[in-house]
Amino acid sequence: MIKYLFIFLTLSFSVNSLADTAYIGADYVLADIDIYNENAKPSMTAIRLGVSNNNIAFEAQYLLSTSTDNIYRMEFDLEESKGLYMVFQSEDMQGFHFDVSLGYAINELTVTGPTETYNGTDEYKGFSWGASIQQKIPYMDNMKIRLGYQSYFKNSDLAITGIALGLTYQF
């Protein structure tokens, strides 16, 4: 992950002259792992780094597990999720703006349980998308509060989604 963060920061500083703003965000994410219509809801912490120009941003996200949840005595832990996104941002309207993100995510899911059940770690990669709304915080010009929904992975058997609440700081 350090390698990806270094590459992202190098690219963001090299295109800094082209970018309007750079930002960093931290979110609490309540994940939902839906497997065969059964749900586990582990929580996660997300860090978002991005550069924006003309209402289009390039964003890197890294999520790290803070808790697990279980289904039928099997614990589901979304160990980590890494993603790169193109974020389409609306204009500010009375302090609010809306974002839609499209990208690619790599998710690491660990399942542990009794010896007669599946135990292991699997990686799920693919298309990821999200939508969020942000509100400027009064008297803090560079801070915004963010509420978002993110779909990290989906196929016919498994869906990994999350609701995020956090803060964004623009440089």
Side-chain angles (χ1 to χ4, degrees):
M1 179 56 202
I2 298 297
K3 176 176 76 170
Y4 296 114
L5 182 60
F6 177 74
I7 291 170
F8 178 76
L9 289 174
T10 302
L11 289 174
S12 66
F13 287 123
S14 66
V15 296
N16 197 25
S17 62
L18 302 174
D20 290 336
T21 58
Y23 61 89
I24 186 167
D27 299 336
Y28 169 80
V29 179
L30 180 59
D32 181 21
I33 301 169
D34 184 343
I35 183 164
Y36 298 111
N37 295 322
E38 296 291 333
N39 295 71
K41 298 189 180 297
S43 60
M44 304 187 76
T45 301
I47 301 294
R48 298 175 293 105
L49 300 169
V51 291
S52 173
N53 190 20
N54 296 327
N55 295 340
I56 296 177
F58 293 100
E59 181 175 288
Q61 290 184 9
Y62 181 73
L63 285 79
L64 190 60
S65 177
T66 56
S67 75
T68 62
D69 196 9
N70 62 53
I71 301 173
Y72 301 125
R73 301 181 317 159
M74 296 173 58
E75 286 203 9
F76 289 80
D77 186 9
L78 189 56
E79 294 284 338
E80 67 179 3
S81 177
K82 301 171 269 202
L84 292 173
Y85 298 91
M86 180 177 282
V87 182
F88 300 95
Q89 304 167 326
S90 72
E91 293 288 334
D92 277 351
M93 297 169 282
Q94 297 179 354
F96 285 95
H97 82 265
F98 184 74
D99 296 339
V100 173
S101 58
L102 303 173
Y104 185 83
I106 301 170
N107 306 284
E108 187 177 302
L109 179 65
T110 300
V111 179
T112 55
T115 57
E116 67 272 4
T117 62
Y118 173 76
N119 287 285
T121 300
D122 293 311
E123 193 172 84
Y124 298 96
K125 307 176 194 182
F127 175 72
S128 178
W129 65 274
S132 67
I133 188 164
Q134 295 191 41
Q135 165 67 43
K136 286 185 179 179
I137 298 175
Y139 308 108
M140 295 180 164
D141 293 336
N142 296 337
M143 292 288 288
K144 295 181 180 182
I145 190 163
R146 177 181 181 271
L147 177 64
Y149 172 83
Q150 190 86 24
S151 174
Y152 299 103
F153 180 82
K154 183 172 175 71
N155 68 15
S156 61
D157 302 327
L158 175 71
I160 302 171
T161 60
I163 302 285
L165 180 62
L167 295 172
T168 302
Y169 179 82
Q170 291 182 319
F171 296 99

